[in-house]
Amino acid sequence: MSFLELLTGVLILGVLAGWAMPAIFASSDAAKVNACYVNKGEVELQIQLWRRNKNTWPAANLGDVAADINYFPEGMVVCPVDNLPYTMNPTTHRVSGHNH
């Protein structure tokens, strides 16, 4: 194999990698947004379970739910998009924000 053939092969691989990388990063961002929606649903479910079990709503910062291993045994989840914690709107009793 000559040096020119090797250089051509490396150039082709570089062009293909440059073409594929934006698609890979875009799908990674979409996966994080979808994971945020799944986490948001899980947090809202735990809020409803807290209400049913304790007959009161949890704190807006969800610190009490996060501290109870019966609700989040592996610890409170955070948004995978921006790493911010989930909070509850005290009026609607739904997760606030996270509309990516």
Side-chain angles (χ1 to χ4, degrees):
M1 178 181 289
S2 73
F3 177 72
L4 188 56
E5 291 172 331
L6 181 63
L7 187 60
T8 303
V10 169
L11 179 65
I12 290 171
L13 289 175
V15 168
L16 289 174
W19 175 72
M21 292 308 278
I24 291 170
F25 287 127
S27 66
S28 174
D29 292 342
K32 287 181 181 180
V33 169
N34 288 336
C36 179
Y37 286 124
V38 169
N39 287 350
K40 186 176 173 180
E42 179 66 24
V43 171
E44 287 182 353
L45 176 64
Q46 297 305 325
I47 289 170
Q48 294 298 324
L49 286 172
W50 179 277
R51 168 75 171 135
R52 188 176 127 232
N53 294 338
K54 310 269 186 187
N55 202 28
T56 185
W57 293 105
N61 69 0
L62 300 175
D64 44 5
V65 176
D68 191 330
I69 62 168
N70 294 315
Y71 295 91
F72 290 99
E74 296 176 7
M76 184 64 160
V77 294
V78 295
C79 178
V81 175
D82 51 20
N83 289 326
L84 293 176
Y86 294 98
T87 58
M88 181 187 71
N89 180 316
T91 305
T92 63
H93 307 292
R94 297 284 200 178
V95 172
S96 300
H98 300 277
N99 299 319
H100 306 287

